Amino acid sequence: FEMEDNFKRRILILWTSGEKETALNMVFMYGLNSKLKGWWDEVTLLVWGASTKLLGTDPEIQERLKALQDAGVETIACKACANNLGLVEKLESLDVQVFFTGEYLSKRIQAGDHVLSV
């Protein structure tokens, strides 16, 4: 399968699942390979909902996040979710940009960016 030259090569992975198996076997696997193999030029992981708690409390998930970041994947998180769970400082210590993301997500969708919701 070949992509057209003018294909928009930017993806936002909207990670909302709190299931560890989904994180390990989809979110991090696809996110990392997308960047390393050049499937997308820009890859952003947006942590929102139940994934916030999983990321903030699971050391293995935190290690996988670091691998994504080291590969050049931008990592951001919903501040409202992090506030509700008391995890703002923890996520920031993991080098995740934490801010209110509702408008950000809306603008990315309105701009026609590709969004993969997991």
Side-chain angles (χ1 to χ4, degrees):
F1 181 78
E2 293 187 29
M3 293 184 261
E4 298 175 20
D5 289 340
N6 63 354
F7 188 74
K8 199 169 208 173
R9 295 180 47 90
R10 190 164 100 158
I11 191 166
L12 173 72
I13 301 171
L14 175 59
W15 176 31
T16 62
S17 170
E19 296 176 1
K20 186 170 182 174
E21 292 79 12
T22 299
L24 294 174
N25 294 299
M26 194 292 151
V27 175
F28 292 105
M29 188 183 301
Y30 183 77
L32 184 61
N33 284 319
S34 291
K35 195 65 177 163
L36 294 178
K37 296 176 186 263
W39 299 336
W40 299 94
D41 295 326
E42 293 178 31
V43 180
T44 302
L45 176 65
L46 172 50
V47 181
W48 197 324
S51 61
T52 307
K53 184 175 182 180
L54 181 61
L55 176 59
T57 60
D58 189 300
E60 183 181 5
I61 296 297
Q62 293 166 8
E63 286 179 27
R64 296 293 181 100
L65 176 79
K66 179 77 170 110
L68 281 186
Q69 292 168 327
D70 288 347
V73 174
E74 178 184 30
T75 55
I76 62 178
C78 170
K79 188 169 187 173
C81 300
N83 274 337
N84 290 342
L85 295 165
L87 292 169
V88 172
E89 294 79 14
K90 179 61 182 180
L91 295 183
E92 288 175 341
S93 77
L94 298 170
D95 295 323
V96 175
Q97 300 171 57
V98 181
F99 60 95
F100 296 108
T101 54
E103 183 178 4
Y104 171 86
L105 176 60
S106 297
K107 287 186 178 203
R108 293 280 304 254
I109 293 169
Q110 291 165 0
D113 286 358
H114 298 275
V115 177
L116 176 61
S117 183
V118 186

